[in-house]
Each structure stands twice: as C-alpha cells, then as structure tokens.
Amino acid sequence: MKLRSSMVIAACAAALAAAPAWAQFKPTKPVEFIVHTGPGGGADVLARFIAQVVEKENLAPVRFQVNNKSGGGGLTAMAYVAEKKGDTHAIAVFTGNWLTNPLTRAEAKYTVKDMTPVARLVLEPALVAVKGDAPYKTLKDFIEAAKKAPGTMKQSGGSITSRDNVVRQLLMKESGSSWAYISFPGGGERIAALLGGHVNMMVVEPQEAGEHIKAGNMRVIAQVSDKRLAGFPNVPTIKEAGYDIPNVPQVRGIVMPAGVAPDVLAYYEDLFLRITKTATWRKYLEEQQFEDGYMKSAELTKFFDVYSDQMRGILKEAGAKVVR
Amino acid sequence: MEVLTSLGHGFAVAFAPLNLFWCFVGVFLGTVVGVLPGLGPAATIAMLLPLTFSMPPTTAVIMLAGIYYGAKYGGSTTAILLNVPGESASVVTCLDGYQMARKGRAGAALGIAAISSFIAGTVGVIGLMLLAPPLAKFGLSFSSPEYFALMAMGLAMVVLLAGASMVKALLAMLVGLWIASMGIDLFSDASRFTFGQSELLDGVDFVIVAIGVFALGEVFGNMEKRGEGTMLPVPKGLRNLLPTMAELKACRFAFLNGSIIGFIIGVLPGAGSTVASFISYGIEKAVSKHPEKFGTGVPEGVAAPEGANNSETGGAMVPLLTLGIPGSGTTAILLAAFILWGLRPGPLMIQDNPELFWGLIASMYVGNIMLLVLNLPLIPLFAQILKLREYFLYPIIFGISIVGVYSVSGSLFDCWLLAVFGLLGYVMRRLDYPSAPLILGLVLGDSMERALRQSLMMSQGDLGILVSRPISAVMLLLTIALLFLPLFRKANAWRIKAIEENG
C-alpha cells in the first residue's frame, strides 16, 4: 500500500525534525475537531486525515476527536463553534461555504468574524471540461460559441453560490458572453449530465474527472488555478487562455472559537504549520491534486474580508439575495 | 464464455478465506445497521473506512459492499414487526408487512422479505455482470426531463395508494410535497419554509417523517385502545414461521417485478431505492387481481418493494463501477473509498482491475447466500419480540425510534421534530388519512421539482422538452394511463354489475 509506506517515511521525517515546543500553552485533554459534514463528507475526510497525522507522528500530546455537527447547510457547526467562545480545546475545519453561506442566509446567527482564524491549509483547483467529442478545443472556442447563440449553451454545476457558478459569472462578464447554469445537487449527476450530452461544459475537480479524461470521454479546456497542475502541463489556466479573471479557489482551513489567549492561538498555528511540513501531508496534497494554501492567522483574517467582499459582489450579480 | 471464465477467476478471489471472512463481516454488519433504524449504511461505511486501510483493496471493497447490500436485507425486520422503517427504502414494506404481522403472519412476512431480497439481489448481480457497460450508456441518456417523467409516474402511484377517499390521499400527498420543499432552494439559494430556524435549512430528513408517522403514529393509535388487548398474535410452530407454498406462489410475479424494476431504477444515478420500491409496489398493485387487498397484508406487497430495494444495489453499482458516477449517498462514500485506495472506478476499471471487478461480483453472489442463511434462522428469534406485552413493547418502539433519529444527526431538534410527526401520524390515523401518500410526496417532491426546473432551464422555458424526448414522452403517457386506472376499474365494475343485473 502506497499510503502506508509513505506514513513510515513521514514518521521518520517527523522524528528527525522534532519541533521545538516554544509555546507555553499545551492541550491537556482531547481536542474537539468540529466538521460541518457527516462522516464521509469533504471536510470530514480532511479532519480525520489530520487527526491521523497528528496521532501517527506524535505532533500533539493529546488526541484530536472528530465531531460531526452536520445540518443547517453548515450553519449548525458554525453556531456550535461560535458559542464555544473561550474554549481552548476546540478547532474546526472551515470551507468557502463558511464565508459565503452567511451572506445569503438570514437564519445565520454567526459569521467567521465570531471565530478565531487559525490557518488556511489547502486550495482546491478545478478544471473547465467539455465532453470528449465536443467541437470546442479551447476555452475561447466555447466562449465564442456561447456568444454566437446566447443562452443556448449550458453548464452543469452545484448551487448558485458554488465556485462553479462564480467562475461562470466572472467569465461571462469578462468576455461579454452568456450561457445557462443548471444546478444539480450531486457531483455524479453533474458529470452524468455532461457525459450524456445534456449540458456543454462543467467546472470539475481533477479527482472527479481523472478517469473520464483518461478514457477520452471528457476534455479539459482550461484550469481554474494560479499555475498549471502537475497532471495537466499542456492545458492553460484561465488567465493564460486570455481571460483575466481573479482565481477563485475552493479553500479549506482551520478556525477556533473567539476569545482565546494569544499563546493558545500561537500553539495551534504552529501545530498546523508542522503538520503541513510532514511528508504524509505533502503526499496527500499530491494525491488529491490540491495546492498548498498555507496561511497564518493574521493573513487569513485579511483573506476572510477580501474573499467575503468578492463573493458578495459576485452573488449580487448572480441574482442571489444578499443579507449581510 | 468469456464472462464465465472471468467469473471463475472472480470466485477464486471471493473464496479466498480472508475475503470470505470479511465478506461475512460486511454482510453481518450490514444486517445489523439495517435492522437499527437511523444509522444507515452510508455512515457505517464512512466510520469503518479507516479500519480497511490495512486490508488489500479487493478485500476492503468486498467488505464495504457487503455492508451496503446487507443493510437492505435488515431494513425490513423492524418495518414488518414494529412498523418502524429501518431505513428509507423499507417504508413501503411497512404497508403490507406490518399488516401481515398483525394477522399473525410475521414469520411469513420476514421469510418472504428474505427470499425476495435474495432473488432480487442475485438478479441485480447478474444484471450488473452481463449488462454493465451498455446499461451505463442507457443511464446517461436519462436527464432531467426523463427524471421528471419518472417522478411524475411515481407520484401518480398515489391513485393506487389511496384508501377509501381519493381526496384525503391527495391532501396527504400535498402535505408531503410541502415538507419536501422545506430548506434551501438549490437554484436560488433562498430558504423556504424554515420559519427562521437554521436547523430546517437542510430540509426535513425523510427518516424522521417516516418513523414519526408510521411507528409513533401507530403506537399512539394503539395506546388509545387501552384494555382491548391489542397484543399481536404470535406465530407458533415452525410452519407458521415460514411462508406457505400458496404465499410464495402469490409472490411469483412480485419477485420478478421487484428484481427488474429495482435494477433499472438503480442504474439511473438520480432516482434511488425508495423510488424503486414505491414504483414496484404500485405496479404490483396495478396488475394484481385483487388490488383492494393491498395494504391489508398481502405477501406480494412485501415481496415487490423488498425485491426492488435489493436489486437496486446491483443496478447502482453499474454507474459506480463503469462510469465512476455515484447515484446515492452510500455509493458516493464507496467511490471515495475506492479513490483512497488508488482504484479509479470508471470506463477502464474492468480492464485495469479485473481481479477487483470480478472478485466483487462473485463476492456479491456469495454474500447474498450468506445473507439468506443468516436471516432465515433469525426470523423465529425476531418474531419473539411480538410476545412482549404492550407496556414493554411500546417503550421499546419509542426508544428505538428516538435513538434512530438522534443517531442520524445528533440533534435534539430532530427528536422534537419526530414528536411532531408522531402526533401528525396519530391525527392522520384518527381522521382516516392514509400515510403512504404523504411519504410518497416527500420522497419524490424534491427531485421532481428539481428535474422540472432543470428541464426548463435546458429548454429556455419551453415545456415542449418534456414531451419531445421519446423516453420522457412514453413515461408521461404511462402516467396518464395510471391516473385513469381507478376510473377504468370503476367503470368496469359498473359494467359487470349491469351485466349481472340484466342477466
């Protein structure tokens, strides 16, 4: 098993790099690791992986215990974290949804402003794909086709607040074209709609698309990423394809409750820095085709503001009702 | 011939002692989580995933798949004995299964469920083995307009599920559709009918409504009749614990119907096993010689939906293995597991990983036999629960229901919701509203609305898209035929009566 051998290597690497414990704070009981999805969801898989790395490589004196607080489209978990104000033994995985959902949902009682940003960990790039036998060889081909027949081209994707739609909105504005956006709840259905020829284009994660590309059923025409992914050296990024739009990463990282002392924050900040330096983590990023998006607390705080502002504008343009 | 050689290799893999052992562990765990309401196969697989990292991938896949199809077997047990649907697909089994138990045929109902599950499960695997690649293509030709037509056909089943009053059935269905519309709207990101409660943003979990309306409603209703001695008749003797030849014969068509409908609907990524069980039950009733007896405890009413929800598993494996497209929560987690092991389900999987593909198929044959052997002897044991006096039984049903609901989300809000739906179930029972149409509306409402809106977005608002595509047009025609079926029956009854009077 690839995974196991890499863990052994990583364990050795960690032993060599035994990090200095300069922070005064140390957790004294198991740390509660909150995620907003049920077992098996994206954030849950990430949290369980991190918990495993911490345990295997002995990075913390205590265990990390994953707690699934699903429901409310993520708001349940957010409220749970926000209401734990001052708790030094609780951390949570945040995703882009934690930033976007409160913008459109009046039911949200809290935003990430009510929490302490700890670290940004990964950026998930994406691919713009068309069906394998589609006439569009480049992003330009697709956009020109959309310009010729406005409204007849279709894209499958998730909810209108998802990254898929944000990329579409930005591309349409930049190029002065327009095409329809059809929401499907599951990733499988989105791909099925493309492969069945019911839509013309989709924004897809490299993981999901891999086999379809290999089998020739799907063609990648651009990458939603700052630089080209290792697996797709010949496909241009959207910018390289000639459309100057800001990169919209799918982001994941760690937050904790508000009202914790600076040494507590420093401890977790340092812990996650050490996690991202392990060989296991590197391997994980590579396998999942994620980009390293590490950012410290101070930078992340600024990122939250910038991201929220950007999303607010995009959502308004997309016709969503923005409440904050 | 090539298939047989490959299958032979597959059996060699499946019969390796290690694989045989983990296959058994998988189907056993599956049966257990199926019996317990709430905790479903998806959550179980996700939680056990880390345990499988130390296994060879084929063994791990064999075990996790065992949990998936094993859960479908277990789901019928509490549905039949306690009117508590163990998982969403066994709601339909409650309709006739629980009535059979009330008539003292609990053992027979459980037996028929197990046999039907076995037959349909096996047919599903045969379908998966022989038809996987061409069928996957057929599945892709289905898109939103076809799903809308399929859901419309499912919703038209309401005319078959209605009891004495069609108006009451339609009202119940509308309430179901309304509940289905609660939560965040995917298309506009607006929240609907949440009453400002963030807990309602994800909508109302189907399991809560089903357990509340069926199980708690039934208990409330029975508690009212205190002193009447409502203890269920307990089957005595081996003969009463197994289905009779006559009952099995009555199920002949249901076995076939359930197997085929379940498999076809399983292949479609956007439908699901609950839809499959409703449709096969509806078809069974529509072609039956005695449709009026459905809902009073006929064995076909158990065999058809149980078969459909088991053969759906084989069907759902088709898009998963050959396209890498998951059709349900459970298959999505299986896909995540495959990827973790570095296996990529997709068009190339059968060529690249024949050992895994054929090993899995062979293990599903073996697993189905294990499940039958495991479940049949458990029937007398489970049937004993009916010997309990009501003051023991009712608290147990309450406990199982509350724990089941809490285990899904870990939220107390959902437990309160359960109480609300329990009361709703009681009121509906008192006022003689059928509960099945409510569940039908709830199951289909969301996906039907979605399919319609997607279709209209595809056609830029032209409703013609629903009838201009052949598959959807045919299904809509069938829907109309279905809606007129009761009228036709009534007319026929008058005609016969008139002939008799004249003659």
Side-chain angles (χ1 to χ4, degrees):
Chain A
M1 290 284 327
K2 271 189 284 179
L3 207 64
R4 258 190 305 162
S5 57
S6 71
M7 275 171 193
V8 175
I9 299 167
C12 299
L16 286 176
W22 57 273
Q24 302 104 309
F25 170 81
K26 260 196 168 55
T28 49
K29 57 176 187 183
V31 172
E32 186 179 2
F33 202 171
I34 300 142
V35 294
H36 69 276
T37 64
D44 176 75
V45 172
L46 178 67
R48 283 176 202 274
F49 179 76
I50 291 173
Q52 208 184 347
V53 174
V54 169
E55 196 159 335
K56 285 252 158 74
E57 316 218 348
N58 225 352
L59 295 174
V62 294
R63 259 178 333 113
F64 278 30
Q65 185 68 46
V66 175
N67 185 4
N68 300 92
K69 283 281 164 195
S70 56
L75 295 185
T76 307
M78 288 182 74
Y80 185 76
V81 176
E83 282 162 14
K84 276 190 165 292
K85 201 170 175 192
D87 190 334
T88 55
H89 288 76
I91 55 173
V93 173
F94 76 85
T95 65
N97 288 340
W98 287 46
L99 304 169
T100 351
N101 287 350
L103 295 178
T104 53
R105 287 178 198 157
E107 290 87 350
K109 292 187 213 106
Y110 303 98
T111 69
V112 284
K113 290 258 174 224
D114 302 299
M115 301 164 204
T116 309
V118 177
R120 194 178 80 172
L121 294 178
V122 288
L123 295 178
E124 298 174 22
L127 305 168
V128 179
V130 296
K131 202 173 170 224
D133 55 11
Y136 328 110
K137 307 279 181 216
T138 63
L139 184 58
K140 197 161 188 279
D141 289 350
F142 174 84
I143 286 178
E144 291 307 314
K147 267 188 195 163
K148 262 187 214 130
T152 55
M153 301 292 269
K154 290 159 264 194
Q155 175 186 351
S156 62
S159 134
I160 59 159
T161 59
S162 68
R163 182 242 308 257
D164 315 9
N165 187 40
V166 172
V167 171
R168 162 180 169 262
Q169 292 281 342
L170 291 169
L171 272 178
M172 289 196 320
K173 199 173 167 204
E174 165 76 16
S175 65
S177 56
S178 92
W179 61 87
Y181 183 77
I182 302 174
S183 301
F184 292 86
E189 289 167 70
R190 284 165 222 162
I191 295 180
L194 183 79
L195 297 186
H198 309 289
V199 300
N200 311 90
M201 183 267 263
M202 76 180 289
V203 173
V204 61
E205 278 157 34
Q207 269 286 340
E208 287 182 291
E211 282 308 285
H212 301 294
I213 296 167
K214 232 198 263 167
N217 296 336
M218 213 186 243
R219 182 193 303 135
V220 183
I221 54 173
Q223 311 190 27
V224 188
S225 162
D226 278 328
K227 53 181 196 297
R228 295 186 185 192
L229 299 176
F232 302 91
N234 301 321
V235 179
T237 64
I238 291 186
K239 246 187 203 134
E240 289 168 346
Y243 301 93
D244 190 20
I245 62 168
N247 183 28
V248 219
Q250 193 83 289
V251 52
R252 288 184 210 275
I254 306 293
V255 289
M256 68 183 301
V260 294
D263 64 323
V264 178
L265 174 60
Y267 172 81
Y268 285 106
E269 223 179 356
D270 176 59
L271 175 68
F272 278 96
L273 184 61
R274 280 188 289 150
I275 289 172
T276 57
K277 292 213 168 116
T278 61
T280 323
W281 179 259
R282 295 271 137 214
K283 175 113 187 169
Y284 171 79
L285 290 185
E286 196 183 306
E287 277 175 358
Q288 303 285 316
Q289 309 202 36
F290 290 162
E291 282 178 86
D292 182 0
Y294 185 80
M295 228 181 217
K296 288 193 153 227
S297 175
E299 290 171 274
L300 182 56
T301 313
K302 276 184 218 131
F303 172 81
F304 278 175
D305 286 337
V306 172
Y307 191 89
S308 296
D309 285 342
Q310 189 191 0
M311 285 307 293
R312 191 175 291 119
I314 290 168
L315 289 176
K316 273 186 190 153
E317 274 168 36
K321 209 172 108 206
V322 176
V323 294
R324 310 195 146 73
Chain B
M1 270 309 98
E2 202 188 323
V3 170
L4 286 183
T5 333
S6 309
L7 188 63
H9 285 296
F11 272 112
V13 174
F15 277 125
L18 182 75
N19 291 344
L20 216 49
F21 172 73
W22 286 108
C23 180
F24 178 77
V25 171
V27 297
F28 178 76
L29 280 174
T31 308
V32 173
V33 303
V35 169
L36 300 171
L39 189 68
T44 313
I45 292 175
M47 282 185 279
L48 291 182
L49 204 51
L51 277 186
T52 61
F53 287 152
S54 55
M55 297 178 189
T58 309
T59 311
V61 169
I62 286 175
M63 184 191 99
L64 296 182
I67 297 178
Y68 177 34
Y69 58 80
K72 302 274 176 90
Y73 271 75
S76 57
T77 308
T78 46
I80 290 169
L81 294 175
L82 307 174
N83 212 21
V84 181
E87 39 127 29
S88 57
S90 35
V91 169
V92 191
T93 313
C94 289
L95 300 177
D96 275 285
Y98 182 65
Q99 294 305 327
M100 277 182 83
R102 296 193 62 133
K103 290 200 289 192
R105 302 293 301 152
L110 290 170
I112 285 170
I115 292 167
S116 180
S117 298
F118 171 72
I119 295 176
T122 307
V123 170
V125 183
I126 295 175
L128 168 63
M129 178 177 86
L130 298 178
L131 303 171
L135 259 189
K137 285 233 166 65
F138 161 76
L140 282 184
S141 68
F142 253 67
S143 190
S144 310
E146 286 80 17
Y147 281 116
F148 173 75
L150 179 69
M151 301 298 164
M153 198 161 90
L155 208 57
M157 295 288 172
V158 68
V159 300
L160 298 168
L161 293 169
S165 159
M166 184 64 72
V167 176
K168 285 183 174 174
L170 289 175
L171 277 172
M173 185 190 80
L174 284 178
V175 172
L177 287 174
W178 171 62
I179 299 172
S181 72
M182 288 179 172
I184 300 159
D185 171 36
L186 181 73
F187 298 89
S188 62
D189 206 57
S191 46
R192 302 187 297 196
F193 304 115
T194 58
F195 309 102
Q197 297 285 330
S198 65
E199 287 89 347
L200 284 174
L201 280 176
D202 281 343
V204 176
D205 195 319
F206 166 76
V207 175
I208 301 172
V209 184
I211 294 182
V213 170
F214 275 88
L216 297 193
E218 172 76 14
V219 171
F220 287 142
N222 285 341
M223 269 158 55
E224 205 179 32
K225 295 183 228 145
R226 205 152 54 141
E228 281 173 40
T230 46
M231 202 169 68
L232 298 180
V234 183
K236 284 197 192 78
L238 195 62
R239 189 178 296 166
N240 274 325
L241 281 173
L242 292 172
T244 60
M245 273 323 278
E247 280 168 326
L248 285 178
K249 217 173 149 195
C251 293
R252 269 174 319 183
F253 179 73
F255 291 144
L256 191 71
N257 161 23
S259 306
I260 295 173
I261 295 293
F263 183 73
I264 294 175
I265 291 187
V267 170
L268 308 173
S273 59
T274 317
V275 177
S277 53
F278 264 112
I279 289 187
S280 73
Y281 182 84
I283 289 180
E284 195 59 37
K285 191 172 175 182
V287 300
S288 168
K289 288 200 189 85
H290 48 83
E292 71 286 349
K293 285 195 189 143
F294 274 70
T296 62
V298 289
E300 306 96 286
V302 177
E306 269 307 303
N309 86 46
N310 279 277
S311 123
E312 195 263 353
T313 321
M317 289 284 189
V318 171
L320 178 70
L321 295 176
T322 60
L323 297 174
I325 292 177
S328 67
T330 316
T331 42
I333 289 174
L334 274 179
L335 179 66
F338 277 117
I339 290 171
L340 269 174
W341 289 305
L343 306 165
R344 310 286 163 132
L348 308 174
M349 169 119 165
I350 304 179
Q351 298 163 31
D352 292 353
N353 266 311
E355 191 204 359
L356 181 109
F357 181 79
W358 291 102
L360 176 62
I361 286 193
S363 85
M364 286 173 78
Y365 284 113
V366 178
N368 269 296
I369 294 171
M370 282 181 182
L371 280 164
L372 188 68
V373 175
L374 189 72
N375 275 277
L376 282 180
L378 284 178
I379 290 173
L381 190 72
F382 280 132
Q384 297 305 314
I385 199 170
L386 297 178
K387 275 193 181 152
L388 290 173
R389 300 295 310 218
E390 52 210 6
Y391 47 79
F392 279 127
L393 191 58
Y394 293 162
I396 289 178
I397 297 180
F398 264 86
I400 291 180
S401 303
I402 294 170
V403 169
V405 165
Y406 189 77
S407 71
V408 174
S409 60
S411 141
L412 275 179
F413 181 85
D414 285 355
C415 295
W416 284 110
L417 222 48
L418 175 72
V420 171
F421 284 109
L423 286 175
L424 177 71
Y426 167 71
V427 171
M428 285 175 70
R429 201 165 301 250
R430 278 305 298 266
L431 302 179
D432 209 20
Y433 280 84
S435 42
L438 177 116
I439 301 292
L440 185 69
L442 178 61
V443 173
L444 299 177
D446 194 27
S447 32
M448 187 171 171
E449 181 204 350
R450 213 158 51 216
L452 179 63
R453 288 169 76 179
Q454 284 163 348
S455 308
L456 292 179
M457 285 163 119
M458 284 180 183
S459 68
Q460 295 184 284
D462 180 8
L463 275 170
I465 191 171
L466 298 176
V467 288
S468 63
R469 298 164 63 121
I471 303 178
S472 104
V474 168
M475 281 195 291
L476 286 174
L477 276 178
L478 283 176
T479 308
I480 293 168
L482 205 56
L483 288 174
F484 281 102
L485 194 67
L487 285 180
F488 172 74
R489 278 219 175 108
K490 229 174 225 172
N492 206 26
W494 281 332
R495 195 174 56 94
I496 291 169
K497 215 169 147 196
I499 293 170
E500 278 170 356
E501 277 168 6
N502 289 341

